[in-house]
Structure formats: C-alpha cells, structure tokens
Amino acid sequence: MSSGKILVAQGGGPTAVINQSMVGVALEARRFPGVTRVYGALHGVRGIVDEEFIDLTQETSHNLELVAATPSSSLGSTRDKPDMAYCQRIFEVLRAHEIEHFFYIGGNDSADTVRIVSQQARQAGYPLRSIHIPKTIDNDLVGNDHTPGFPSAARFVAQAFAGANLDNAALPGVYVGVVMGRHAGFLTAASALGKKFPDDGPHLIYLPERTFELARFLADVQAMVERHGRCVIAVSEGIHDASGEPVATLLAKEIERDQHGNVQLSGTGALADLLCDEIRTKLGIKRVRGDTFGYLQRSFIGCVSDVDQREAREVGEKAVQFAFWGDADGSVAIRRTGFYSVDYELLPLDEVAGKTRTMEDEFISASGTDVTDAFRLYLRPLLGSRMPDAFRLRGARVPKIFRT
C-alpha cells in the first residue's frame, strides 16, 4: 500500500526564485488524491541524513504563496557534495520514512545526487520516484535553454552595470565589476544588457570561455580610455590563463580555497582589487575603482524577473506531474519553443548530472571582449517586464565668451 509521502529539498546557492519551485511542488502535490504528506528537508541533503523535516502539508496556501515570492532558500540549503556512502544514507532515511517521491531543487551536483539515490532505490527494489528540479544562477545546466534563478540574477547584473556606467560617466575613470561564474560566463555577459547608447559601458567583458591575457587586457583598457575618456569593465570571477589557471591565483600572494578544494573566487574581492592595481601601476590611471558583486545578485529582493518567477513555479509543478503521471526518474528541463515561450521535458539524469554548460561561441564576439546580438536576443525576454531605463541630456552647447 502506498504511503503517499513526498519529500522536497533545496541545495546549493540560493536564488531569488527557488522558493517558487519548492512551493510549486508542495501545492501541485496537494492536488493529487494519493498524497498524504509533503515534507520539506531543512538544509538540503544534510537535513535528510539528519532527519530534519518539516511538514509542508500543514502550511496554508496563502503563506506558501508569500514564501514563494520571497528570495533565498526558505528550507535552507547546503554545500555538501554527497559521495556514494552519503547517498546510501540518504536512501536509507527516505526508505525509513516511507518517502515514495523525492524532489531535489539544485544544480548539476544536485542532479548527480538524485541520480545516485535513484540507482540505489532501483537496486534495492524500492518504489522511489526521484526528480531533479533545475536551479542555478550560473545558467550552466546541460540540456536547458536556461535555468531558474539565472534570469533574476542577470536582471540584477544588467541593472547594476547600467548604474555603474552612469556613475562612471559622471566621474570618468576605470571601473571593474567582478561577477560570479567559475566556468560559465552567462551572468557576466548579462552586463551587456544594461547598455543603451553606443558609448555606454561595459566597454569590455571578460568571460571564462576565453583565455585571459593580462597584457592584452591592459591594452584593451588603454584603448577604451583613449576612445571614451573612461572604461567600464565586466569580469567573470573564473577568468583564467592559457593553462587554465585562475587569474586570481596568478596575481594573488595568498590563495583561499573552499571546502571542496577549489580556489575561493566568490565574495573575496581579491580579483577586482588585483586588476585595479595592475591598471593603476601599469597604465598610470589614477581613478580606478573595483567592486565584487559576490552574493548580491543571488537573493536580491528588489530585482526579480517575473518571467523567472513564473518558470520557477512551473518547473516545480511539472516535476510533480512527471513524477505522478510518468514512469521514469529524471531532470526537468526548460526548452524554448518560440519568441517568447517555453515548454518542459524530463531528461535522463545522466544527461545532466555532473556536467557543465558554458556559453556557446555564437554568443561571444570575435574579439572575445563583448557579446553578440544573438546573446542579447537570447537574454532580453528572460529579464522580464518593466526594465528601468536611463536617459541623457541632449546637451545643446552655449557658445564660449572667453576662449583659450
């Protein structure tokens, strides 16, 4: 006899719309007569192995809707990257609690966790339906046109650079903004959508899909300063040299690493400071400023794409429908079907798990320091409605009386 219990969890970095997916699962599941309980695991897979569950069945629909519109992960998240033994423990807990449907919202590592748990359930002959729900601001999930969380973060980046450009135009100099993206440059590339006039920044965009050369970078900056009298630069935290070594490690004296042994790129501020120092010392430019966006764009409460909210809700709903009406485990994927519309499909877990998508060549300019119109057409509908706009004075000059 079926227990009717399902479990949903959130993993990895929070986003502005991940709660929409969680609520999509909870509300859609409650529509199915066979569902008796909808549990939520606190802090992702760590909450599963620690049996830290809350009963979402007892939440009112109204409160769930309020939570859905709130950024960040309301269930809490984790950076744990489960190995085989960890996944075995996850499966044991799911079986002990008679969970028959497991939904995990996250990126490619989360998809890999779902894949392993799914395999263990099949080997044990336990009736567990396991569905991965896409989420990542990096937009690097294979098989997806784009991933929930990315459009809202991209909206933030575009607007932030539009503002930085206005500031830089008022007080000219060089501005360097470092944006998240270890392997995929989608989020950094979104800075280009903040441009309106031809001489607006960012004037230079550097992505991890292209090799970074410091000498060429300095020459590019000098050329832009000579052309515009200023330069706004968008840089991905993951830029690297020809050998694949992160530029941050080449310029920094001390290297910080995360719990997985990767060079700590997000939130340190090191890369922006190091590049600014190179510009000051090598080019002799005095007014040089740098910012590291770090975690700002992940859960920024005032800058959410309505398109992103809608699709994040729908991937949660579709996950439940695939689970109850289908006969396979998998990963929900977004497929673009027009300009602009989308549909959803269920991909085999091994097509998504542990794989990383990077920006396609057609999205990157020949110079490697800008994006193409193809990328602008790809991203613009994702940013949602009511994007703010900036205007300029027409600048009718008054003739001088004293001429020098």
Side-chain angles (χ1 to χ4, degrees):
M1 181 177 178
S2 173
S3 71
K5 295 180 181 179
I6 78 171
L7 176 69
V8 59
Q10 300 169 319
T15 80
V17 297
I18 190 173
N19 288 331
Q20 290 281 3
S21 298
M22 181 273 292
V23 171
V25 170
L27 292 181
E28 185 70 8
R30 293 187 341 187
R31 294 176 55 203
F32 284 79
V35 173
T36 60
R37 284 290 183 270
V38 180
Y39 294 155
L42 299 178
H43 297 287
V45 289
R46 172 55 55 188
I48 298 177
V49 297
D50 291 340
E51 298 183 78
E52 296 286 347
F53 298 163
I54 61 172
D55 189 352
L56 297 174
T57 325
Q58 298 185 44
E59 292 283 346
T60 65
S61 297
H62 176 68
N63 193 54
L64 284 173
E65 290 292 356
L66 295 176
V67 169
T70 303
S72 191
S73 301
S74 62
L75 288 173
S77 191
T78 180
R79 280 298 187 188
D80 285 7
K81 190 174 181 178
D83 56 14
M84 186 63 71
Y86 196 128
C87 288
Q88 179 62 40
R89 177 59 180 161
I90 292 173
F91 171 63
E92 290 172 355
V93 171
L94 295 179
R95 181 164 57 178
H97 283 267
E98 299 182 311
I99 304 297
E100 295 177 345
H101 292 85
F102 172 40
F103 301 92
Y104 197 22
I105 310 167
N108 43 30
D109 286 341
S110 299
D112 200 38
T113 297
V114 176
R115 179 186 63 82
I116 298 173
V117 171
S118 172
Q119 289 178 344
Q120 292 178 342
R122 287 199 303 272
Q123 291 171 2
Y126 181 76
L128 178 69
R129 177 66 69 231
S130 301
I131 303 291
H132 167 248
I133 300 173
K135 174 258 11 166
T136 173
I137 67 168
D138 292 327
N139 201 39
D140 62 353
L141 280 183
V142 171
N144 284 264
D145 177 81
H146 57 279
T147 49
F150 166 66
S152 292
R155 183 182 174 100
F156 176 93
V157 170
Q159 292 183 200
F161 270 91
N165 172 71
L166 293 171
D167 190 286
N168 184 261
L171 290 171
V174 175
Y175 173 82
V176 179
V178 175
V179 185
M180 277 186 173
R182 183 180 294 271
H183 301 297
F186 287 100
L187 201 55
T188 305
S191 61
L193 274 292
K195 298 181 67 167
K196 178 176 182 179
F197 299 99
D199 59 341
D200 278 342
H203 305 101
L204 297 169
I205 300 174
Y206 294 92
L207 309 170
E209 285 83 358
R210 296 292 182 266
T211 298
F212 182 89
E213 300 175 8
L214 183 58
R216 181 187 170 192
F217 166 76
L218 293 172
D220 291 340
V221 174
Q222 183 65 52
M224 288 299 167
V225 170
E226 291 175 358
R227 182 184 306 174
H228 301 296
R230 63 192 187 93
C231 185
V232 176
I233 310 164
V235 180
S236 170
E237 64 181 10
I239 55 171
H240 56 81
D241 67 5
S243 69
E245 189 73 15
V247 171
T249 66
L250 299 174
L251 299 177
K253 295 180 181 179
E254 296 182 3
I255 304 301
E256 181 181 353
R257 295 185 181 274
D258 63 22
Q259 60 184 346
H260 301 302
N262 298 317
V263 174
Q264 185 68 44
L265 299 177
S266 300
T268 67
L271 182 58
D273 291 343
L274 293 166
L275 291 176
C276 286
D277 286 343
E278 290 290 321
I279 293 169
R280 289 191 193 95
T281 57
K282 302 291 177 57
L283 300 182
I285 300 174
K286 294 182 179 179
R287 184 174 175 77
V288 184
R289 302 290 186 269
D291 283 325
T292 298
F293 287 29
Y295 301 105
L296 288 175
Q297 66 270 24
R298 288 208 308 211
S299 301
F300 194 81
I301 200 166
C303 189
V304 183
S305 162
D306 53 344
V307 172
D308 199 18
Q309 285 186 317
R310 182 180 69 247
E311 293 177 351
R313 172 66 70 92
E314 290 180 342
V315 293
E317 293 173 344
K318 292 302 296 185
V320 173
Q321 293 171 11
F322 284 132
F324 282 89
W325 293 338
D327 59 357
D329 297 347
S331 177
V332 181
I334 298 177
R335 180 167 56 89
R336 190 176 304 214
T337 58
F339 190 88
Y340 173 76
S341 60
V342 297
D343 200 357
Y344 304 93
E345 59 183 322
L346 192 68
L347 300 178
L349 287 164
D350 57 8
E351 291 186 11
V352 180
K355 296 180 172 62
T356 300
R357 174 193 180 188
T358 56
M359 279 186 69
E360 291 80 359
D361 287 342
E362 65 180 293
F363 288 161
I364 305 173
S365 70
S367 68
T369 59
D370 200 355
V371 299
T372 63
D373 286 341
F375 178 76
R376 293 182 176 89
L377 290 171
Y378 162 80
L379 180 57
R380 181 58 190 88
L382 306 183
L383 300 182
S385 58
R386 300 181 301 278
M387 281 289 285
D389 208 349
F391 297 89
R392 293 181 178 181
L393 295 171
R394 290 189 170 86
R397 296 295 183 117
V398 177
K400 296 180 180 180
I401 295 176
F402 298 99
R403 298 178 180 275
T404 59

